[in-house]
PDB file of all heavy atoms in Angstrom:
ATOM      1  N   HIS A  49     101.496  98.257  98.725  1.00 98.00           N
ATOM      2  CA  HIS A  49     101.535  99.155  97.555  1.00 98.00           C
ATOM      3  C   HIS A  49     102.854  99.923  97.624  1.00 98.00           C
ATOM      4  O   HIS A  49     102.871 101.155  97.609  1.00 98.00           O
ATOM      5  CB  HIS A  49     100.348 100.114  97.589  1.00 98.00           C
ATOM      6  CG  HIS A  49      99.016  99.430  97.571  1.00 98.00           C
ATOM      7  ND1 HIS A  49      98.282  99.254  96.420  1.00 98.00           N
ATOM      8  CD2 HIS A  49      98.282  98.848  98.574  1.00 98.00           C
ATOM      9  CE1 HIS A  49      97.147  98.619  96.711  1.00 98.00           C
ATOM     10  NE2 HIS A  49      97.121  98.357  98.004  1.00 98.00           N
ATOM     11  N   LEU A  50     103.943  99.194  97.740  1.00 98.00           N
ATOM     12  CA  LEU A  50     105.238  99.782  98.081  1.00 98.00           C
ATOM     13  C   LEU A  50     105.819 100.734  97.038  1.00 98.00           C
ATOM     14  O   LEU A  50     106.693 101.533  97.353  1.00 98.00           O
ATOM     15  CB  LEU A  50     106.236  98.642  98.338  1.00 98.00           C
ATOM     16  CG  LEU A  50     107.293  98.926  99.375  1.00 98.00           C
ATOM     17  CD1 LEU A  50     106.692  99.023 100.759  1.00 98.00           C
ATOM     18  CD2 LEU A  50     108.371  97.850  99.348  1.00 98.00           C
ATOM     19  N   ALA A  51     105.323 100.634  95.787  1.00 97.00           N
ATOM     20  CA  ALA A  51     105.960 101.398  94.701  1.00 97.00           C
ATOM     21  C   ALA A  51     105.397 102.809  94.582  1.00 97.00           C
ATOM     22  O   ALA A  51     105.112 103.287  93.498  1.00 97.00           O
ATOM     23  CB  ALA A  51     105.784 100.645  93.379  1.00 97.00           C
ATOM     24  N   TRP A  52     105.266 103.484  95.714  1.00 98.00           N
ATOM     25  CA  TRP A  52     104.704 104.835  95.642  1.00 98.00           C
ATOM     26  C   TRP A  52     105.804 105.891  95.690  1.00 98.00           C
ATOM     27  O   TRP A  52     106.927 105.622  96.092  1.00 98.00           O
ATOM     28  CB  TRP A  52     103.699 105.068  96.781  1.00 98.00           C
ATOM     29  CG  TRP A  52     104.280 105.451  98.113  1.00 98.00           C
ATOM     30  CD1 TRP A  52     104.680 106.709  98.512  1.00 98.00           C
ATOM     31  CD2 TRP A  52     104.531 104.591  99.241  1.00 98.00           C
ATOM     32  NE1 TRP A  52     105.150 106.667  99.813  1.00 98.00           N
ATOM     33  CE2 TRP A  52     105.073 105.375 100.283  1.00 98.00           C
ATOM     34  CE3 TRP A  52     104.337 103.225  99.473  1.00 98.00           C
ATOM     35  CZ2 TRP A  52     105.439 104.857 101.525  1.00 98.00           C
ATOM     36  CZ3 TRP A  52     104.709 102.697 100.720  1.00 98.00           C
ATOM     37  CH2 TRP A  52     105.246 103.492 101.720  1.00 98.00           C
ATOM     38  N   ALA A  53     105.416 107.098  95.286  1.00 98.00           N
ATOM     39  CA  ALA A  53     106.265 108.270  95.495  1.00 98.00           C
ATOM     40  C   ALA A  53     105.356 109.327  96.111  1.00 98.00           C
ATOM     41  O   ALA A  53     104.137 109.192  96.083  1.00 98.00           O
ATOM     42  CB  ALA A  53     106.831 108.752  94.163  1.00 98.00           C
ATOM     43  N   GLY A  54     105.951 110.358  96.659  1.00 97.00           N
ATOM     44  CA  GLY A  54     105.152 111.438  97.246  1.00 97.00           C
ATOM     45  C   GLY A  54     104.594 111.066  98.603  1.00 97.00           C
ATOM     46  O   GLY A  54     104.988 110.057  99.203  1.00 97.00           O
ATOM     47  N   SER A  55     103.678 111.880  99.086  1.00 97.00           N
ATOM     48  CA  SER A  55     103.175 111.718 100.444  1.00 97.00           C
ATOM     49  C   SER A  55     101.785 112.353 100.526  1.00 97.00           C
ATOM     50  O   SER A  55     101.499 113.308  99.813  1.00 97.00           O
ATOM     51  CB  SER A  55     104.145 112.421 101.403  1.00 97.00           C
ATOM     52  OG  SER A  55     103.698 112.288 102.723  1.00 97.00           O
ATOM     53  N   ARG A  56     100.916 111.792 101.360  1.00 96.00           N
ATOM     54  CA  ARG A  56      99.527 112.292 101.419  1.00 96.00           C
ATOM     55  C   ARG A  56      99.073 112.567 102.850  1.00 96.00           C
ATOM     56  O   ARG A  56      97.943 112.254 103.218  1.00 96.00           O
ATOM     57  CB  ARG A  56      98.593 111.267 100.741  1.00 96.00           C
ATOM     58  CG  ARG A  56      98.682 111.321  99.233  1.00 96.00           C
ATOM     59  CD  ARG A  56      98.184 110.105  98.496  1.00 96.00           C
ATOM     60  NE  ARG A  56      96.988 109.473  98.965  1.00 96.00           N
ATOM     61  CZ  ARG A  56      96.673 108.185  98.658  1.00 96.00           C
ATOM     62  NH1 ARG A  56      97.473 107.462  97.894  1.00 96.00           N
ATOM     63  NH2 ARG A  56      95.573 107.653  99.119  1.00 96.00           N
ATOM     64  N   GLU A  57      99.954 113.187 103.627  1.00 96.00           N
ATOM     65  CA  GLU A  57      99.584 113.406 105.036  1.00 96.00           C
ATOM     66  C   GLU A  57      98.352 114.303 105.175  1.00 96.00           C
ATOM     67  O   GLU A  57      97.608 114.194 106.141  1.00 96.00           O
ATOM     68  CB  GLU A  57     100.773 113.957 105.850  1.00 96.00           C
ATOM     69  CG  GLU A  57     101.315 115.299 105.423  1.00 96.00           C
ATOM     70  CD  GLU A  57     102.208 115.211 104.202  1.00 96.00           C
ATOM     71  OE1 GLU A  57     102.640 114.098 103.841  1.00 96.00           O
ATOM     72  OE2 GLU A  57     102.452 116.264 103.595  1.00 96.00           O
ATOM     73  N   LYS A  58      98.125 115.168 104.186  1.00 95.00           N
ATOM     74  CA  LYS A  58      96.934 116.038 104.221  1.00 95.00           C
ATOM     75  C   LYS A  58      95.667 115.202 104.392  1.00 95.00           C
ATOM     76  O   LYS A  58      94.766 115.554 105.144  1.00 95.00           O
ATOM     77  CB  LYS A  58      96.850 116.784 102.896  1.00 95.00           C
ATOM     78  CG  LYS A  58      96.840 118.277 103.012  1.00 95.00           C
ATOM     79  CD  LYS A  58      96.358 118.876 101.692  1.00 95.00           C
ATOM     80  CE  LYS A  58      96.991 120.248 101.507  1.00 95.00           C
ATOM     81  NZ  LYS A  58      97.045 120.598 100.079  1.00 95.00           N
ATOM     82  N   GLU A  59      95.600 114.082 103.655  1.00 96.00           N
ATOM     83  CA  GLU A  59      94.397 113.233 103.701  1.00 96.00           C
ATOM     84  C   GLU A  59      94.199 112.612 105.083  1.00 96.00           C
ATOM     85  O   GLU A  59      93.075 112.360 105.516  1.00 96.00           O
ATOM     86  CB  GLU A  59      94.502 112.105 102.659  1.00 96.00           C
ATOM     87  CG  GLU A  59      94.481 112.622 101.243  1.00 96.00           C
ATOM     88  CD  GLU A  59      94.684 111.515 100.211  1.00 96.00           C
ATOM     89  OE1 GLU A  59      94.562 110.319 100.551  1.00 96.00           O
ATOM     90  OE2 GLU A  59      94.975 111.865  99.061  1.00 96.00           O
ATOM     91  N   PHE A  60      95.313 112.338 105.731  1.00 96.00           N
ATOM     92  CA  PHE A  60      95.250 111.755 107.076  1.00 96.00           C
ATOM     93  C   PHE A  60      94.468 112.694 108.001  1.00 96.00           C
ATOM     94  O   PHE A  60      93.570 112.282 108.734  1.00 96.00           O
ATOM     95  CB  PHE A  60      96.692 111.546 107.576  1.00 96.00           C
ATOM     96  CG  PHE A  60      96.835 111.065 108.993  1.00 96.00           C
ATOM     97  CD1 PHE A  60      96.800 109.708 109.289  1.00 96.00           C
ATOM     98  CD2 PHE A  60      97.038 111.963 110.033  1.00 96.00           C
ATOM     99  CE1 PHE A  60      96.959 109.256 110.592  1.00 96.00           C
ATOM    100  CE2 PHE A  60      97.194 111.518 111.339  1.00 96.00           C
ATOM    101  CZ  PHE A  60      97.154 110.159 111.612  1.00 96.00           C
ATOM    102  N   TYR A  61      94.783 113.994 107.914  1.00 96.00           N
ATOM    103  CA  TYR A  61      94.100 114.954 108.787  1.00 96.00           C
ATOM    104  C   TYR A  61      92.673 115.233 108.316  1.00 96.00           C
ATOM    105  O   TYR A  61      91.797 115.500 109.135  1.00 96.00           O
ATOM    106  CB  TYR A  61      94.942 116.239 108.915  1.00 96.00           C
ATOM    107  CG  TYR A  61      96.275 115.915 109.566  1.00 96.00           C
ATOM    108  CD1 TYR A  61      97.432 115.765 108.807  1.00 96.00           C
ATOM    109  CD2 TYR A  61      96.355 115.670 110.938  1.00 96.00           C
ATOM    110  CE1 TYR A  61      98.633 115.406 109.395  1.00 96.00           C
ATOM    111  CE2 TYR A  61      97.554 115.302 111.534  1.00 96.00           C
ATOM    112  CZ  TYR A  61      98.683 115.175 110.762  1.00 96.00           C
ATOM    113  OH  TYR A  61      99.863 114.802 111.342  1.00 96.00           O
TER     114      TYR A  61
END
Side-chain angles (χ1 to χ4, degrees):
H49 300 263
L50 213 68
W52 82 82
S55 180
R56 284 161 41 200
E57 62 281 345
K58 237 196 209 156
E59 294 176 15
F60 175 87
Y61 297 100

